[in-house]
Amino acid sequence: MNYANKKVLVRVDFNVPLDEDHHITDDTRMRAAVPTLKQLLDNGNAVIIMSHLGRPGKKRLPDGSMDKERFSLRHLVPHLSELLGRPVIFAEDTVGPDAMQKARELKPGQVLLLENTRFNEGEKKGDEALARALASLADAYINDAFGTAHRAHASTAVVAKFFDKDHKAFGLLMQKEIANANRIIQQAAHPATAIIGGAKVSDKIQLLERLLDFADHILIGGAMAYTFILAKGGQVGNSLVEPDKTQLALDLLDKAQQKNVDLRLPPDSVIADAISEDAVTLVSDSYDIPDGWWGLDIGPESAESYGSVIKQSKTILWNGPMGVFELPPFSGGTKAIAKAVAEATRHGAFSLVGGGDSVAAVNQLGLAGSISFVSTGGGALLEYLEGKKLPGIVAISGE
Ligand code: AMP
């Protein structure tokens, strides 16, 4: 990171949500990269920024071509310029003639934003020729895109091959993400509590297995709780479950018992006769949900008991909502957890919240400032916590 007077190629995660008129609706990811960009600029470097935006390869136009208007990084230029307090030059391509010429002419203190890396078919394939062309634009490479560190793409990992160890580094955001995740998996103060929610057990099995090694309490919420409850012989009505994962759920419960980990399921649930805002809702025993009803949030007793465990914890990890928090009648559990995590943090606990929905909940409640660290990574954070080697990290540090 301590480069001066160089041309530095920086991979950021500017994959921000845009509305129909291409206005940015949440600039968190852009703001997260600003410290790295400013430091490089203050040290007299010229900065070449690259990122992906959306899924142009998947969401194609009817004729099969990419929707280059919808997914263009051009839409980000005015806001980026405002955040950096200086003009931003835009290249119409990523490694084409426009990018090459503008990168060549770039002066110290200037900023060049390249067009969406995913407009190149080779990006997601980790194409070497594309990576080499990207590398040819600059003297040094910085990866500050933690959110895509689990992908071995041309701009996130392969490009680093073309720089020696003195000319590639993590950005400030990436350094913080790694240090904070390590604080959970290597240096957790006890009691350590993991709150895991979301839709599917299958997405989080490896994480749950890993958590058994260092958590004292695991609090389960979201739809995944009903797969566990079904496995234990409960009646879950129409709740979202993965029937083929019940054995796995039983194995996890067994392992938790062997390792003396307090793995909790929600004793009560907010249930409804439809997944909609105006559905009839009731509080029910989670093990006795009638047919025709869906368990859509943890109930008040669960929120209370989870909250008291959280408030006594010294280390807290939270990933995944406790219910269908997008709909107000089913957001109470997630909100209660967010408040408990914030309170524990105010009393000295270290808390890390990661994953789009839990971060959205914390932001909606204006509690982000009361959390020790709000991660910008969803899948990348989970894989890191699971103990996997992330290609974007290995490409820089070798491990
Ligand atoms: P994930 O991406 O696995 O963290 O899951 C997040 C999604 O799970 C959100 O869109 C929630 O609406 C959904 N979800 C959480 N709890 C439930 C539930 N009890 N039933 C159905 N969907 C749920």
Side-chain angles (χ1 to χ4, degrees):
M1 257 305 284
N2 294 326
Y3 306 127
N5 308 313
K6 290 211 163 20
K7 250 175 218 171
V8 186
L9 179 66
V10 189
R11 178 49 158 104
V12 296
D13 179 3
F14 280 179
N15 183 26
V16 290
L18 300 178
D19 66 15
E20 303 264 294
D21 301 320
H22 312 302
H23 293 129
I24 301 161
T25 53
D26 180 349
D27 72 344
T28 310
R29 287 181 171 149
M30 290 178 78
R31 279 187 286 110
V34 166
T36 296
L37 300 172
K38 280 208 165 144
Q39 182 171 318
L40 288 169
L41 291 165
D42 289 347
N43 288 343
N45 298 289
V47 171
I48 303 169
I49 303 173
M50 58 176 171
S51 177
H52 74 288
L53 175 65
R55 298 176 152 194
K58 284 233 168 76
K59 300 193 170 163
R60 289 177 189 257
L61 293 168
D63 70 358
S65 65
M66 288 191 193
D67 190 343
K68 297 212 165 159
E69 175 54 21
R70 177 170 170 200
F71 295 112
S72 176
L73 280 168
R74 174 192 295 285
H75 307 307
L76 275 46
V77 169
H79 191 56
L80 180 59
S81 164
E82 206 176 293
L83 289 173
L84 296 177
R86 64 184 80 206
V88 170
I89 303 165
F90 181 69
E92 304 289 336
D93 46 34
T94 321
V95 287
D98 198 42
M100 291 289 170
Q101 188 185 342
K102 286 176 175 160
R104 205 179 311 118
E105 291 169 357
L106 204 66
K107 306 267 180 312
Q110 289 189 324
V111 181
L112 172 64
L113 177 65
L114 304 180
E115 184 53 289
N116 195 336
T117 52
R118 289 197 188 163
F119 285 174
N120 303 275
E121 302 281 357
E123 163 71 337
K124 290 180 76 172
K125 296 183 187 134
D127 182 61
E128 293 236 351
L130 173 60
R132 185 180 288 115
L134 284 167
S136 76
L137 300 173
D139 312 313
Y141 169 70
I142 283 187
N143 189 351
D144 211 19
F146 183 68
T148 47
H150 55 321
R151 308 283 183 219
H153 294 171
S155 71
T156 60
V158 186
V159 63
K161 264 202 220 175
F162 300 97
F163 295 91
D164 65 31
K165 70 173 179 24
D166 297 326
H167 294 87
K168 57 184 168 188
F170 295 127
L172 300 174
L173 172 65
M174 193 84 154
Q175 291 172 20
K176 267 203 302 194
E177 293 274 4
I178 296 170
N180 282 297
N182 285 345
R183 223 174 135 173
I184 297 273
I185 49 185
Q186 295 169 1
Q187 309 143 19
H190 294 274
T193 297
I195 311 145
I196 307 296
K200 293 184 180 164
V201 181
S202 50
D203 290 345
K204 314 247 162 119
I205 294 163
Q206 278 167 300
L207 176 65
L208 288 167
E209 295 253 1
R210 185 83 203 281
L211 291 174
L212 293 174
D213 292 333
F214 59 84
D216 303 291
H217 306 276
I218 301 178
L219 312 176
I220 306 276
M224 60 188 281
Y226 302 108
T227 299
F228 281 94
I229 291 170
L230 180 68
K232 289 178 76 181
Q235 304 291 318
V236 296
N238 288 31
S239 306
L240 181 64
V241 284
E242 293 171 278
D244 57 328
K245 295 290 179 294
T246 48
Q247 189 51 49
L248 229 133
L250 289 176
D251 293 347
L252 278 166
L253 289 167
D254 254 5
K255 283 186 198 161
Q257 202 168 23
Q258 281 161 26
K259 296 194 169 182
N260 224 354
V261 176
D262 166 38
L263 191 157
R264 294 197 191 189
L265 302 169
D268 63 345
S269 292
V270 174
I271 64 168
D273 61 352
I275 307 180
S276 85
E277 210 162 330
D278 45 16
V280 176
T281 65
L282 290 172
V283 173
S284 159
D285 181 330
S286 298
Y287 292 75
D288 197 12
I289 300 175
D291 284 343
W293 292 73
W294 281 259
L296 297 177
D297 193 10
I298 60 169
E301 187 189 330
S302 313
E304 177 75 32
S305 99
Y306 284 11
S308 70
V309 171
I310 291 166
K311 285 175 205 163
Q312 286 163 30
S313 301
K314 296 241 161 44
T315 306
I316 302 162
L317 168 70
W318 180 20
N319 173 270
M322 296 290 102
V324 182
F325 83 108
E326 301 92 329
L327 301 177
F330 316 114
S331 63
T334 302
K335 284 184 182 163
I337 295 303
K339 286 185 186 149
V341 175
E343 190 179 325
T345 312
R346 282 195 287 270
H347 288 103
F350 171 75
S351 57
L352 190 155
V353 179
D357 291 316
S358 12
V359 172
V362 161
N363 283 334
Q364 268 170 29
L365 291 168
L367 290 173
S370 311
I371 305 296
S372 310
F373 188 67
V374 177
S375 174
T376 57
L381 176 70
L382 291 189
E383 289 195 19
Y384 191 79
L385 294 171
E386 283 163 13
K388 291 197 181 128
K389 301 263 178 229
L390 307 195
I393 294 181
V394 175
I396 302 264
S397 66
E399 55 182 343

